[in-house]
Amino acid sequence: MGALASVALLLPLLSAAPPAGADVPEAGVLQGQFARAAERQGVPVSVLLAVSYLQSRWDTHGGAPSVTGGYGPMHLTDAVTALARTAPHHSEGEEDARGDSSRPVRTGGDAPVPAPAELPERLRTLERASALSGIPAEELRTVPAANIEGGAALLAAAQREAGLPASADPADWYGAVARYSGADDSATAATYADDVFDVIRTGETRTTDSGQVVTLPAAPAVAPATGQVADLGLRRPAAGPVECPASVACEWVPAPYEEFGDGDYGNHDKANRPASQSIDYIVIHDTEADWNTTLKLVQDPTYVSWQYSLRSSDGHIAQHVPLKDVAWHAGNWFVNAKSVGLEHEGFLTSPDSWYTEAMYRTSARLVRYLAGRYDIPLDRQHILGHDNVPGTVTSTIKNMHTDPGPYWDWAHYFRLLGRPITPSAGPHAGVVTVRPDYSSHQPVYTGCVTAGQACVPHGSGAVRLHTAPSADAPLVKDVGLRPGGQDSTTGVNDTGARASTGQSFAVAERRGDWTAVWYLGQKAWFSNPVKEPTAVNARGLVLTPREGLAEVPVYGRAYPEASAYPAGVPVQSVSPLPYKLLAGQRYVVGGRTPGEYYFAPVFDPSGHTVVRGQEDYYQIQFGHRVAFVKAADVRVSRA
């Protein structure tokens, strides 16, 4: 009877929902839906709004699921279909995750992919919300009002199950909020609840992806009953030598360092960073696998590795490899030896996949901690996507991975990092930093499901690059990806003509609403209208070939000169990529680095050594991926 009553109360609200293709409802409708659902379910509206903000920032995503099968503003999860369609990120393609020719090629496909286990409750909350509210599952997925009602019902049920009254005071709902996270350990549940109550205390106002303004007024005096987490019966996270900030929940799930025959071993290398080599980069990945599969794979000595995994539903972090050691994750040994790899749980349940605010927040805290510990600049020259890591030599370019892809919200991520991407120069600056409005900027991509077929429209932080200032002009070419000279495509995994939020490029020309930058040895144009800019003007150092040189080679790794290698260490070739940096062109400098090579071909780390040469390199933003040029070949100036 209670479920039927809930449906009856909700029917007027559901019938008012606009059909597909209708005009966006006026601002305020979504706010009212939160208020009515909170009142019906006996949940403080501030609690309901703050939980929803931490899951989705109040976006509806047009009824499309998140990367872990969560739907709507309350991120009600129904991941059965999603898990059935996944293939782990490092098990796809032929990228050698280690990226070092001194060892056998190591692709993730070497290890068997475990079958997904029975879905945990955190990936089946939509099913329970339906049972509690009486609302059909399809409506919970597609109708925002229904989704909010279902989330409120879950919170109310958590409060009842804890034996607590439906208090009007938000402070009394800490335990219910912690339970809503779906976390199975007390530290993650508490971190999630702390974040929700931080939103309540500070307040938020935002225009959602459906064009509606939602506001949560600040309530700085709310002091939640944090002791309620102890009564939830959750496990304690696995203890170990975790290296995480106190503001996140982190546990130790170690990757194995084991021999398994014929001199082979895995799945990372022992080192002594930063004493042996500086840590200069943080590489952002997504897993293309569910959480349980991700943990099983990183614990397989025959698979590859990374330092941290982050769970989408609640932002929980597992550390696998000590920061002093080198994980096999980026496909480029120079980058691996000088980086930390973060894998974010995600799989493309649909082309319109999205990540939770909970995961963005804990990831940003972890990156801030790592950047502070190792003095890593918080910019896109050092906080890289896997899709920004260059191929080591010409033959590896086409196999380099493309995650986290054009749908990762770099602008929001850098706001959370405390480094929002803002203008730092006037309208005639010699450098621009890409920054389209993520929600409204929706370039057409193809191949999310079927090759050549358009993906569902979705916000994106990437701009497309053309050979002339016209949307009808061909896309610029990437001779590394397509040696035959074919045009780049609109494929979701084609990085040949793409610039991403936060990346900075030297301006080559401006013409009306179009800006040209130097990109892969050519002039590349993107639409940048004054009224709806897709880039901001910036300051920075740029480089160009030194006087007398018509062109200089470009490299995918910064290895030492041959004379630097001691006896017993094979000389690594300094092999240029198939691109040229031509006289008159300028590229933004990301930093200067000595030529280095970490020689670690055997299990016993006593035989490992760092080779460091006299020749320095500059890292540059050369295309969608970074690259390196020899310092002796170029002249650096301020743009």
Side-chain angles (χ1 to χ4, degrees):
M1 181 66 183
L4 291 175
S6 295
V7 174
L9 285 168
L10 193 58
L11 280 175
L13 210 54
L14 298 183
S15 63
D23 292 337
V24 173
E26 70 275 11
V29 170
L30 194 62
Q31 183 99 38
Q33 291 168 350
F34 277 107
R36 287 187 285 275
E39 182 179 3
R40 277 192 295 271
Q41 297 293 339
V43 179
V45 67
S46 62
V47 170
L48 187 60
L49 280 165
V51 167
S52 177
Y53 186 87
L54 202 65
Q55 292 291 346
S56 68
R57 291 197 290 156
W58 304 321
D59 285 339
T60 63
H61 295 278
S66 75
V67 294
T68 47
Y71 291 84
M74 298 304 298
H75 196 250
L76 302 179
T77 54
D78 181 14
V80 175
T81 302
L83 286 176
R85 295 171 55 188
T86 63
H89 156 54
H90 287 290
S91 298
E92 293 187 321
E94 298 177 4
E95 182 194 70
D96 173 10
R98 195 174 191 273
D100 176 21
S101 58
S102 76
R103 292 265 294 126
V105 171
R106 179 53 51 86
T107 66
D110 294 339
V113 177
E118 182 180 351
L119 286 176
E121 286 187 14
R122 65 182 177 82
L123 295 180
R124 294 185 288 111
T125 62
L126 190 141
E127 174 186 320
R128 185 155 191 259
S130 180
L132 287 168
S133 66
I135 301 171
E138 182 60 21
E139 290 178 359
L140 290 173
R141 292 188 197 98
T142 59
V143 181
N147 186 273
I148 294 167
E149 188 82 18
L154 287 175
L155 282 165
Q159 188 78 344
R160 289 193 302 271
E161 290 161 5
L164 297 171
S167 169
D169 185 354
D172 295 332
W173 287 76
Y174 188 88
V177 169
R179 177 69 77 186
Y180 193 95
S181 72
D184 64 351
D185 73 275
S186 56
T188 303
T191 299
Y192 178 91
D194 287 343
D195 274 349
V196 168
F197 279 88
D198 182 60
V199 173
I200 291 173
R201 282 189 291 266
T202 59
E204 288 288 351
T205 295
R206 184 170 182 270
T207 301
T208 72
D209 62 355
S210 59
Q212 299 190 53
V213 176
V214 178
T215 299
L216 170 58
V222 172
T226 57
Q228 292 176 353
V229 170
D231 299 325
L232 297 180
L234 301 175
R235 69 176 178 88
R236 296 184 60 137
V242 293
E243 299 162 287
C244 292
S247 58
V248 303
C250 193
E251 69 177 321
W252 181 245
V253 182
Y257 187 66
E258 297 178 8
E259 289 186 286
F260 45 85
D262 298 324
D264 206 358
Y265 68 93
N267 57 17
H268 58 281
D269 278 294
K270 295 295 183 183
N272 189 30
R273 306 184 306 173
S276 57
Q277 286 184 282
S278 61
I279 298 176
D280 297 339
Y281 307 105
I282 298 169
V283 181
I284 304 299
H285 305 256
D286 77 9
T287 62
E288 297 299 328
D290 70 284
W291 180 254
N292 291 339
T293 298
T294 297
L295 296 191
K296 287 178 181 177
L297 288 172
V298 79
Q299 294 177 89
D300 185 334
T302 68
Y303 202 65
V304 297
S305 61
W306 46 93
Q307 272 81 10
Y308 298 94
S309 296
L310 292 95
R311 192 161 64 199
S312 181
S313 59
D314 53 21
H316 177 68
I317 299 173
Q319 183 176 357
H320 313 297
V321 176
L323 292 171
K324 69 180 183 64
D325 295 335
V326 177
W328 303 349
H329 63 97
N332 182 313
W333 185 240
F334 179 82
V335 174
N336 278 342
K338 299 174 73 67
S339 72
V340 175
L342 277 60
E343 288 277 2
H344 297 76
E345 182 189 19
F347 39 80
L348 297 180
T349 60
S350 81
D352 198 37
S353 60
W354 50 282
Y355 295 92
T356 65
E357 178 70 0
M359 185 166 70
Y360 272 128
R361 286 190 170 210
T362 56
S363 179
R365 287 183 196 141
L366 177 59
V367 168
R368 282 202 310 270
Y369 162 81
L370 295 171
R373 178 169 173 172
Y374 296 113
D375 197 24
I376 302 171
L378 286 172
D379 58 38
R380 287 285 277 117
Q381 287 85 8
H382 298 87
I383 312 301
L384 304 175
H386 194 170
D387 54 352
N388 306 135
V389 175
T392 52
V393 295
T394 298
S395 62
T396 64
I397 292 173
K398 66 181 188 312
N399 292 325
M400 295 301 291
H401 283 189
T402 60
D403 59 298
Y407 301 141
W408 182 265
D409 192 346
W410 286 108
H412 179 56
Y413 196 54
F414 270 79
R415 283 193 294 271
L416 293 173
L417 287 172
R419 293 290 190 276
I421 300 165
T422 57
S424 58
H428 304 294
V431 170
V432 290
T433 299
V434 175
R435 196 204 63 183
D437 179 77
Y438 180 87
S439 297
S440 62
H441 180 67
Q442 299 187 358
V444 174
Y445 291 105
T446 57
C448 290
V449 177
T450 304
Q453 181 177 315
C455 302
V456 173
H458 189 286
S460 172
V463 298
R464 193 156 285 142
L465 300 167
H466 298 263
T467 57
S470 168
D472 296 327
L475 298 176
V476 296
K477 297 179 180 181
D478 184 334
V479 297
L481 281 176
R482 296 180 175 81
Q486 302 94 328
D487 289 341
S488 298
T489 72
T490 58
V492 72
N493 290 310
D494 188 342
T495 61
R498 184 184 300 170
S500 186
T501 290
Q503 292 180 331
S504 296
F505 297 89
V507 175
E509 188 178 346
R510 299 178 192 263
R511 195 181 301 174
D513 286 341
W514 288 77
T515 299
V517 296
W518 295 114
Y519 182 95
L520 294 178
Q522 62 201 301
K523 191 180 288 188
W525 293 86
F526 65 97
S527 176
N528 187 25
V530 173
K531 292 185 178 180
E532 295 182 46
T534 55
V536 297
N537 294 305
R539 297 175 181 172
L541 296 177
V542 297
L543 57 72
T544 192
R546 65 175 173 81
E547 289 79 0
L549 293 180
E551 61 183 40
V552 300
V554 178
Y555 304 92
R557 54 194 182 184
Y559 276 178
E561 65 277 9
S563 60
Y565 288 81
V569 178
V571 174
Q572 302 297 302
S573 64
V574 182
S575 176
L577 300 176
Y579 310 108
K580 300 293 183 183
L581 195 163
L582 303 177
Q585 297 182 359
R586 299 180 305 280
Y587 293 86
V588 172
V589 176
R592 183 167 177 145
T593 184
E596 289 183 351
Y597 172 62
Y598 183 42
F599 181 61
V602 294
F603 179 75
D604 182 0
S606 66
H608 298 178
T609 186
V610 176
V611 180
R612 189 168 288 112
Q614 297 298 311
E615 187 144 54
D616 282 2
Y617 291 79
Y618 284 110
Q619 177 194 321
I620 59 173
Q621 188 65 60
F622 190 61
H624 185 73
R625 301 180 188 271
V626 299
F628 301 92
V629 293
K630 292 182 179 180
D633 288 341
V634 297
R635 175 175 55 86
V636 177
S637 62
R638 185 163 296 280

